Every structure is written in structure tokens, then in C-alpha cells.
Amino acid sequence: MHIRDLPYTDPGEPDVRSGPRFLYWLGRNQLGGQLKALGWGLLHQCGIAGLPLTVGLGVQAAVDRSGDRLALAAGLNVLLGVAIALGEVMLHRTAVSNWITSAARVQQLLARKAAELGSALTRQVAAGEVVAVSTGDVEKIGWFVEALSRFAAAAAALVIICVGLVIYQPALGVVVAIGVPVLALAVLPLLPQATRRADAQREKAGRATELASDTVAGLRVLRGIGGEELFLGRYREASQEVRQAAVRSARMWSLISAVQVLLPGLLLITVVLYGARLALDGRIAVGELVTVYSAVTLMLYPLQHFAEIAMAYSFSRPSAKRAARVLALQRVTDPAGTRAGAPSGPLSGDLYDPSSELRAIEGRFTAVVCGDPDAAGRLADRLGGHPAEPDGMESVLLGGVALDGLALAEARAAVLVQDKDPVLLSGTLRDLLDVPSSGRVDAADALAAAQCEDVLDALAQASVDGGGDPMGTRITERGRSLSGGQRQRLALARSLVADPGVLVLDEPTSAVDTHTEARVAGGIKRLRAGRTTVVFTSSPLLLDAAEQVVFVDGGEVASVGTHRDLVRTDVRYRAVVTRETDEAEPKAVSWTLEKVEESA
């Protein structure tokens, strides 16, 4: 796999039973890249390992005054230099490719899971954790995958060096062969504590990220109530906890690094002292002592990879665990879906929820009133085939076909649910409205129906290089440069452009004024004529525009009729819609009907 082949056509089905299993799955799926990196790493490491031999040959040739052997040593040095340079360049290239491709695979998996779960994702896992996984954790996982092949090459080179030294000079070679495993394994007792401290740091960092994300998202509200300092104080406390945890973690890794410096130094001193005594006794030649000394010195480089792989695994294991936890989240049903007994072609018919007995008649504008806004949101999700509370809930039916038995893409093409707080992605207005659609509704008609004239004027004035064209003006992340009402109407226009067979809107006008709301209600009714539309609202203006109003109380349909009939005959419905006490009911009914007539 080359970087130019990204993104993957299919990133595969990950093993998410645990963090280590997920890391193993990643490495197995990049076996070719790992083997390439291992090969180039061996060339690089063995080139370095061969330098002591050529240096020893050169020194011994100088002692023996042999010009031929000195020239041979020089030639071997040149060849080893070329091998080291080529191996280093290609090892870096392949290792970084492994890093990038593994990170891209994880990001594709996360994006696919987010698309599969939709709004249910943030109900099952904190938003801050999702952000941490898709940014910092992806980098840590890629680091481990990249370091793995370099560590394997270093380990193989150490084995080759030790075996070569034992054969070349057994007296000193045995000392080195015994000392190197001790050096490599000396840090193992320290790793559990280092790992625990790293885990604690990552958990605190995740909580701080979540707090920062929530603060930024609610900054407008916080400024309105003067709560910025309160949340800033909380973030400062969380940031200090992260700093303290990072310092504690760094201390342990500093100790590990110190051990990695101290023990090789002791081995080097031992080899020099013992080798000098052997040379004085005439048991080894000077060139052999130089060769062994140089080999031990150069072994410090591959030994560094042992500390790096330990650190990479300690940081990547909790990251992989978090990624596996997110990737293990499932919809209530298989996203591949089944459609046994369903008619071919687009689905049509009434939208029916057996649990609440809510029925939206095909081709009609139905408004739904719920006394509990949270219950309204859950019911809206369920109508889209994404039940938030699956236990004991029957499947929602569209034309007699269970939505949660359809393929995910097919269910979403049949029913589109616009959340109460829809998200606007960054990009131009043209990009925002470039969504899969039936082609029956163009962008201009949708913007007009959603009463976006003031939004278009604002975007035209903000246009820098678009020549005053609002469609080419960029919208900032989540539309934060726009007001709440403007964001809400643009999201409504996007939903109208999509023109699904069934459109479910949850409080689409909660952030607009009454005059604009009345015009939006008329625009929805006009543009969605003959199409099934379900609007969750308690606004009298939208309710009066609906052809049918369904009042849901206690999770079940309590009454059905027109808004004017229900406001006169149903006390509970009237209490929800007018928000008035019993003593003020006659006045509330009169005021509500007058307001509707004025707006009409």
C-alpha cells in the first residue's frame, strides 16, 4: 500500500475486542509495509554493525603496516557507508508511510462509524473522547505501527552483532552476549508504573478536551449569562491536573531513559577493562579490542529502539483501547440490513410507530406535540429508524416495512430526520446545499421557503472574493458566524433541498421570531405538498399550518385532529401549546387563535 492509494477503498473490519488486538489487526493489515521497513532497517542496522569490523581491520592493518589490508578496510567502509545511507533513507520513507497509512485507516474507520451511528454516537460516548480518539490517539497508534518495524530491525541487528562477536572474539563476545539482554530487559519492571501514569495523563487530557469542547460550543450562552469565568476556572483546574499528570509521567520516562544510558555505560566500561587486561596478556590483538569496543559503542543506537517501542506501546495501548471502544459501538440492527418481503423501488406509505401509535399519513403535513422535549427528540430519532431506547420498542414501519431492517443508506434515503440542533459544516453555502436529493427542489426555492433572505444578504456582504455571490461565501465551522435563527433556517433549507420521501423536523423554528415563523410554516407546507412531512413543535403557527396534529402524552398518542379543534377540546393539549394556567385558559385560547389568524 502506497500513500497515493489512500483513502482505502475498504478499510476492513477491525478487531475491537481489546486495544492490543486492534493494534495487532492494524499491523497484520500492513504486513507488506512492515516487511519492507524491516528489510531496509536490517540493511541500515547491519551496515552500522559492520563498521567496527572495518575499523578494527584498519587499525590492525596500520599496526602490521599492511597497505593492502588498509585499502581493503577503506573500501569496505565506503560500501558500508552507502548501505547505511540507502537503508536510512528507505527505512524512514517506508516507516513514515506505515504511520500515515495506519492513521488513515483508523480515521476512515472512525468516520465510517460516525456516519453509521449518526447522532446516536454522542449519546453512547462523550464528545471529548471522540475528538481525542480522532486526533491525538490516531497519532499515537500510528507512532507504534511506525516504530514496530524499526524495533524489529534493531532487535535482529543486536542478535547478529552478539553472534558475530562471540564467533569473532569469544572471550569478549560472551560478555557482550550476556550483557545485551540484561540491558534490553532492564526497563521492563518500570513499564507498568510508566503505563499507569501515561493512562492517567491521557484520561485527564480527554476530560480537559471534553470540557474545552463544551465551553467553546456554549460560549455564546455563557457570555449571555456571564458564566465565562466559571467555566474558564474549571478548565484551568483541569489543565493543571493534566500538567501534573504529565510531569509525573515524564519523571518515570526520564528514569527509564537514565537506565538506558547508565547500564550500557557500565557494559562499555566492563568491556574496556576486561579487554585491556586480555590485550596486556597477549590473548587478543589491539585491532580485536578496538572492534569489540566499537561494536559495543554502536550497539547503544539499536538499544534506544527498545525504550522507544516500550514508550510507543505504553502510549498507543490506551489510545487503541479508546479507538476500539468507539469502533465497537453498534446500531440496534445490522447496518447492512434486510428487506425481506419489501416491495422493490422507493418505499412509500404511512409512517407508523407501534410503540406510541403515532401515524403520519402519506403525503400529508403532520405536526406532533409532546409535553416533554426530550421525549420528542427520542421519538423523532425513532421515526428515522435510529431508536435511542431499543428495549421493548417495536420497529417503526414505513408502508408496512420495518425501517431498522433496511440497509442504513436505504433507511436514510427514505426518511430524513433534522435534529433540534442541526450542524452546519464549514464550507461555502453552495457546498452546504450540495446534498443527495431528488432534484425536485432547487436551492433557490428551498432558501426562499426557509426565509433565508437576510442570511443571503449577510453572506453577500461577507463575500471576499466571490463578487458578492452568497453561494460562494464560506460558512465558518458549525456556522458560528451566524445567529441561531440563521443557522436553523439554513439547515431547514438543506433538508428541503434533499426532498426525501419522509421529512422529520424537530423544532425547526425554535430560534426565529413569530413573523418569520409564520412565513416558514407556509413555505414548508407549499414546498412539501404531496410529500410526507412530520414536524415536532409546540408553536401555534406551525400547528395551524399542519393538516393533522397529533398530541403525544406519556409516550402514547392522546388525541388527533386539527390545531383549532384540539385547542378547544383537549385541556392537556391546550396547556402544552398555550403554556397558560387553568384560570387563564379562555383568554389563552382566544389569544392563540387571534395570533394564528393575524399571521395567516
Side-chain angles (χ1 to χ4, degrees):
M1 176 63 66
H2 300 283
I3 295 178
R4 63 173 176 270
D5 298 323
L6 296 176
Y8 293 100
T9 304
D10 179 12
E13 291 297 329
D15 186 345
V16 294
R17 289 176 288 178
S18 66
R21 287 180 180 272
F22 181 62
L23 290 174
Y24 171 74
W25 178 84
L26 278 176
R28 188 184 63 196
N29 277 271
Q30 292 186 214
L31 186 59
Q34 294 289 349
L35 291 177
K36 287 180 182 179
L38 176 59
W40 291 116
L42 282 174
L43 177 63
H44 173 62
Q45 297 283 356
C46 290
I48 294 176
L51 288 176
L53 179 61
T54 59
V55 171
L57 288 175
V59 171
Q60 194 62 45
V63 171
D64 297 340
R65 299 181 182 277
S66 174
D68 293 339
R69 281 187 292 159
L70 187 60
L72 175 63
L76 290 176
N77 254 330
V78 172
L79 291 177
L80 290 176
V82 173
I84 292 171
L86 179 62
E88 172 71 13
V89 170
M90 296 307 297
L91 171 61
H92 180 74
R93 177 185 177 89
T94 53
V96 171
S97 296
N98 288 336
W99 185 335
I100 294 174
T101 52
S102 64
R105 187 188 297 273
V106 176
Q107 286 177 329
Q108 278 189 255
L109 290 171
L110 291 171
R112 186 175 68 180
K113 181 59 64 174
E116 175 188 326
L117 294 176
S119 60
L121 174 63
T122 52
R123 297 194 188 99
Q124 301 184 54
V125 64
E129 184 168 353
V130 176
V131 173
V133 170
S134 58
T135 54
D137 285 338
V138 167
E139 182 179 354
K140 297 296 187 300
I141 292 170
W143 176 27
F144 174 75
V145 173
E146 179 263 344
L148 188 60
S149 56
R150 292 190 289 108
F151 162 73
L158 286 175
V159 172
I160 293 173
I161 293 173
C162 290
V163 172
L165 289 178
V166 170
I167 296 174
Y168 177 72
Q169 178 43 252
L172 288 176
V174 171
V175 175
V176 176
I178 294 173
V180 167
V182 174
L183 298 182
L185 302 177
V187 298
L188 288 183
L190 301 176
L191 286 180
Q193 180 66 17
T195 301
R196 286 192 293 270
R197 293 190 179 186
D199 289 350
Q201 177 193 351
R202 297 298 299 169
E203 289 177 4
K204 292 181 182 296
R207 288 197 293 269
T209 302
E210 182 179 353
L211 180 60
S213 177
D214 291 343
T215 302
V216 171
L219 191 58
R220 186 188 299 270
V221 176
L222 291 175
R223 286 175 175 170
I225 62 176
E228 307 103 307
E229 288 302 322
L230 174 63
F231 274 78
L232 284 174
R234 292 178 180 177
Y235 182 74
R236 289 191 189 100
E237 293 177 1
S239 178
Q240 288 303 311
E241 291 180 2
V242 174
R243 182 188 64 80
Q244 294 169 2
V247 170
R248 293 184 71 248
S249 179
R251 286 172 180 166
M252 184 56 65
W253 289 113
S254 298
L255 178 59
I256 291 176
S257 298
V259 170
Q260 289 288 309
V261 173
L262 175 63
L263 294 184
L266 294 177
L267 176 62
L268 188 61
I269 292 173
T270 301
V271 168
V272 170
L273 292 177
Y274 184 52
R277 178 171 296 180
L278 293 177
L280 290 174
D281 294 341
R283 297 169 58 185
I284 64 172
V286 175
E288 291 175 334
L289 176 58
V290 172
T291 299
V292 176
Y293 171 80
S294 301
V296 174
T297 303
L298 292 177
M299 286 172 69
L300 300 180
Y301 175 70
L303 277 172
Q304 293 175 357
H305 292 287
F306 283 77
E308 182 189 8
I309 196 65
M311 184 180 294
Y313 180 73
S314 297
F315 277 94
S316 65
R317 186 183 60 80
S319 296
K321 181 180 178 181
R322 279 189 291 270
R325 184 165 59 244
V326 173
L327 294 174
L329 300 176
Q330 296 292 331
R331 292 182 71 225
V332 176
T333 55
D334 182 0
T338 58
R339 196 177 171 182
S344 59
L347 291 176
S348 60
D350 295 350
L351 183 66
Y352 177 65
D353 176 29
S355 298
S356 63
E357 298 186 353
L358 169 64
R359 182 182 295 275
I361 300 175
E362 180 183 10
R364 298 185 67 180
F365 183 180
T366 301
V368 181
V369 177
C370 291
D372 182 1
D374 293 334
R378 292 192 294 270
L379 180 54
D381 281 343
R382 200 158 65 243
L383 292 180
H386 305 83
E389 299 173 317
D391 296 338
M393 297 289 184
E394 298 182 55
S395 300
V396 172
L397 307 176
L398 178 59
V401 178
L403 282 179
D404 58 7
L406 297 176
L408 179 61
E410 191 173 4
R412 290 186 175 175
V415 182
L416 173 63
V417 179
Q418 177 178 303
D419 294 335
K420 184 183 301 183
D421 186 21
V423 175
L424 301 183
L425 302 179
S426 59
T428 65
L429 180 57
R430 185 176 292 104
D431 296 333
L432 176 69
L433 300 179
D434 184 16
V435 295
S437 65
S438 66
R440 193 177 71 96
V441 179
D442 59 31
D445 291 338
L447 290 168
Q451 302 299 310
C452 294
E453 292 83 358
D454 62 319
V455 185
L456 295 177
D457 291 340
L459 292 176
Q461 293 176 6
S463 176
V464 177
D465 53 1
D469 179 15
M471 300 299 290
T473 303
R474 290 193 62 82
I475 299 173
T476 57
E477 180 187 3
R478 300 181 70 90
R480 290 196 174 99
S481 59
L482 305 172
S483 68
Q486 290 174 328
R487 289 197 301 270
Q488 199 171 56
R489 282 175 284 154
L490 283 180
L492 175 60
R494 179 178 59 189
S495 299
L496 293 174
V497 167
D499 190 40
V502 179
L503 176 60
V504 180
L505 304 172
D506 187 6
E507 294 288 355
T509 59
S510 59
V512 301
D513 61 81
T514 56
H515 296 289
T516 304
E517 188 176 32
R519 294 195 296 269
V520 169
I524 294 174
K525 185 174 183 178
R526 181 181 67 257
L527 209 59
R528 294 287 300 172
R531 310 283 273 177
T532 307
T533 305
V534 182
V535 178
F536 286 81
T537 184
S538 59
S539 165
L541 300 173
L542 279 172
L543 294 172
D544 192 61
E547 299 171 78
Q548 172 183 271
V549 177
V550 179
F551 176 49
V552 178
D553 187 35
E556 297 181 352
V557 172
S559 55
V560 180
T562 65
H563 168 61
R564 299 188 181 221
D565 290 339
L566 292 178
V567 81
R568 289 191 178 96
T569 60
D570 193 316
V571 175
R572 291 176 298 173
Y573 175 84
R574 182 165 59 241
V576 172
V577 173
T578 62
R579 301 177 181 86
E580 294 286 344
T581 60
D582 293 341
E583 293 78 2
E585 284 177 5
K587 180 180 178 181
V589 173
S590 176
W591 179 88
T592 301
L593 294 178
E594 289 176 1
K595 195 67 177 176
V596 168
E597 290 171 356
E598 290 175 3
S599 301

